[in-house]
């Protein structure tokens, strides 16, 4: 065998790219996922409520969601802020309906969900495969089942179901999707809503676009029906509107003349726009500071103007993709 004087050096194994991390709170109350680039999301197991979503350029990430300083996070009541999940009824239940015994907004936001685990993905965004910068994402799954209901709740809504709620964080987006399975022998009707509280600079310079021509129910004006004439919805007083069967999939929040958020609905036809404004905010015990109504607006994707009918063995999925436009 010939001895080569200049042997090639061994090829060092490629360093593995940083991966998203997932941390469980010491008291087992919440899950936080963080990308290598610093974006993060926190989900409270009570209600599977997203309580924080931070993103943006630079090392200091900006909070995208508003949560009241007096929000109750111990599981004794729903969270005022973040993204509470409404199921299987939106608002007060109608009389003589299968949901009529349930409390307002149902039970999903009031119960502790099970953390089912995480999955991660990585995609090359530029350059040759394996050489360009990559985008990471991490998906957190949470479960709630009919067996988790109390005896009283099972009496109020006696159906066998399984819910899987997936929260997926990527660099500038947060996706929240709900999968509903009918695991029983009876069909059932339900509604769902993602009650998202966005943090904004000033409600006076904020507009919601993408709703022009859409019919809405104005709950402040005795649930009367109206058509949205202007492209931009501006808030100058208490606002509680249900925009129904919206043809386009994207609704946007604009601050001044700059887009701030896009809300892209997936299999959800409706959007609720809500701000309590001065007097109602002051009257709400868990809304603080009182004047913070100027720093929040709810743009809530949902299926609430009608019912989803789910027969035995069937599944349904719907949700939203939020994009921060910093």
């Amino acid at each position: 065998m010939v001895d080569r004087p200049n042997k090639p050096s061994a090829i060092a194994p490629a360093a593995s790219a940083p991966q998203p991390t997932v941390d469980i709170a010491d008291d087992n109350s919440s899950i936080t996922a963080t990308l290598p680039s610093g974006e993060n999301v926190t989900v409270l197991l009570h209600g599977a409520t997203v309580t924080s979503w931070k993103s943006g350029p630079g090392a200091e990430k900006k909070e995208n969601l508003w949560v009241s300083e007096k929000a109750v996070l111990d599981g004794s009541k729903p969270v005022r802020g973040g993204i509470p999940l409404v199921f299987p009824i939106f608002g007060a239940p109608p009389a003589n309906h299968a949901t009529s015994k349930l409390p307002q907004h149902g039970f999903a936001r009031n119960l502790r969900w099970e953390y089912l685990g995480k999955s991660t993905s990585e995609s090359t965004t530029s350059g040759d495969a394996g050489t360009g910068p990559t985008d990471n994402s991490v998906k957190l799954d949470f479960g709630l089942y009919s067996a988790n209901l109390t005896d009283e709740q099972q009496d109020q809504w006696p159906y066998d179901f399984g819910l899987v709620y997936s929260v997926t964080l990527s660099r500038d987006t947060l996706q929240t999707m709900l999968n509903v399975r009918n695991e029983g022998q009876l069909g059932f009707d339900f509604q769902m809503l993602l009650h998202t509280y966005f943090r904004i600079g000033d409600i006076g310079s904020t507009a919601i676009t993408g709703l022009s021509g859409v019919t809405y129910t104005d709950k402040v004006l005795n649930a009367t029906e109206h058509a949205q004439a202007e492209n931009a919805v501006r808030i100058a007083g208490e606002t509680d509107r249900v925009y129904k069967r919206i043809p386009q999939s994207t609704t946007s929040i604009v601050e001044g003349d700059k887009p701030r958020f896009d809300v892209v609905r997936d299999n959800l036809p409706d959007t609720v726009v809500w701000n309590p404004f001065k007097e109602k905010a002051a009257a709400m015990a868990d809304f603080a500071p009182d004047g913070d109504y100027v720093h929040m607006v709810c743009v809530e994707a949902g299926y609430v103007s009608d019912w989803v009918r789910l027969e035995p063995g069937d599944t349904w999925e719907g949700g939203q993709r939020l994009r921060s436009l910093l």
Side-chain angles (χ1 to χ4, degrees):
M1 182 175 180
V2 178
D3 185 25
R4 299 176 62 186
N6 296 306
K7 296 180 181 179
S9 59
I11 299 175
S16 59
Q19 296 296 307
T21 60
V22 174
D23 298 301
I24 302 175
D26 291 340
D27 61 359
N28 201 32
S29 65
S30 63
I31 311 292
T32 297
T34 305
L35 299 183
S37 47
E39 293 81 3
N40 58 80
V41 64
T42 298
V43 183
L44 190 70
L45 290 179
H46 176 68
T49 306
V50 179
T51 56
S52 177
W53 166 38
K54 295 179 181 178
S55 67
E60 293 296 324
K61 304 304 178 184
K62 185 173 182 177
E63 179 61 69
N64 296 309
L65 301 178
W66 181 88
V67 176
S68 168
E69 291 182 358
K70 291 184 178 179
V72 178
L73 304 178
D74 63 3
S76 61
K77 64 179 297 185
V79 177
R80 175 67 66 191
I83 311 178
L85 173 59
V86 172
F87 176 93
I89 176 68
F90 166 67
N96 303 315
H97 189 268
T99 60
S100 61
K101 295 181 180 180
L102 290 171
Q104 176 166 299
H105 290 337
F107 50 73
R109 63 182 188 149
N110 294 312
L111 294 173
R112 182 181 174 89
W113 290 55
E114 177 184 353
Y115 173 51
L116 303 178
K118 68 167 177 113
S119 57
T120 61
S121 65
E122 182 179 296
S123 62
T124 300
T125 58
S126 65
D128 296 332
T131 63
T134 57
D135 277 340
N136 295 91
S137 67
V138 57
K139 180 165 73 78
L140 308 174
D141 289 329
F142 304 88
L144 184 72
Y145 311 96
S146 47
N148 299 124
L149 271 60
T150 65
D151 291 343
E152 180 183 5
Q153 289 166 334
Q154 290 181 12
D155 179 66
Q156 292 170 342
W157 206 65
Y159 300 100
D160 292 327
F161 66 89
L163 305 180
V164 175
Y165 185 49
S166 298
V167 177
T168 304
L169 173 70
S170 56
R171 183 160 293 191
D172 61 356
T173 65
L174 184 72
Q175 184 181 57
T176 57
M177 298 289 296
L178 180 67
N179 181 282
V180 184
R181 302 191 309 273
N182 185 338
E183 299 179 341
Q185 303 300 313
L186 299 173
F188 58 76
D189 299 327
F190 69 88
Q191 297 175 329
M192 70 85 70
L193 180 80
L194 297 162
H195 198 315
T196 309
Y197 290 73
F198 290 96
R199 179 175 289 277
I200 57 173
D202 183 359
I203 193 65
S205 59
T206 298
I208 298 97
T209 64
L211 298 171
S212 179
V214 177
T215 298
Y216 65 89
T217 300
D218 195 323
K219 298 172 76 172
V220 175
L221 298 177
N222 299 315
T224 50
E225 298 283 305
H226 306 266
Q228 180 64 39
E230 301 82 12
N231 181 53
V233 179
R234 299 189 181 276
I235 294 175
E238 181 185 350
T239 301
D240 191 355
R241 299 177 178 180
V242 181
Y243 287 85
K244 301 182 288 187
R245 295 176 284 278
I246 306 167
Q248 58 271 26
S249 62
T250 301
T251 303
S252 299
I253 298 173
V254 179
E255 291 192 57
D257 59 353
K258 295 181 180 180
R260 179 64 182 91
F261 298 103
D262 283 341
V263 181
V264 182
R265 290 171 291 102
D266 186 348
N267 202 28
L268 297 177
D270 310 316
T271 291
V272 176
V273 176
W274 182 78
N275 184 292
F277 225 70
K278 183 176 182 179
E279 291 185 3
K280 189 164 185 177
M284 299 167 68
D286 62 350
F287 193 104
D290 289 350
D292 239 25
Y293 68 90
V294 302
H295 299 308
M296 55 75 61
V297 65
C298 288
V299 178
E300 313 164 28
Y303 206 124
V304 297
S305 64
D306 207 341
W307 299 88
V308 180
R309 178 68 180 178
L310 205 60
E311 299 298 341
D314 286 350
T315 63
W316 174 93
E317 188 171 60
Q320 66 181 1
R321 181 167 57 88
L322 309 177
R323 185 182 178 200
S324 174
L325 301 170
L326 289 174

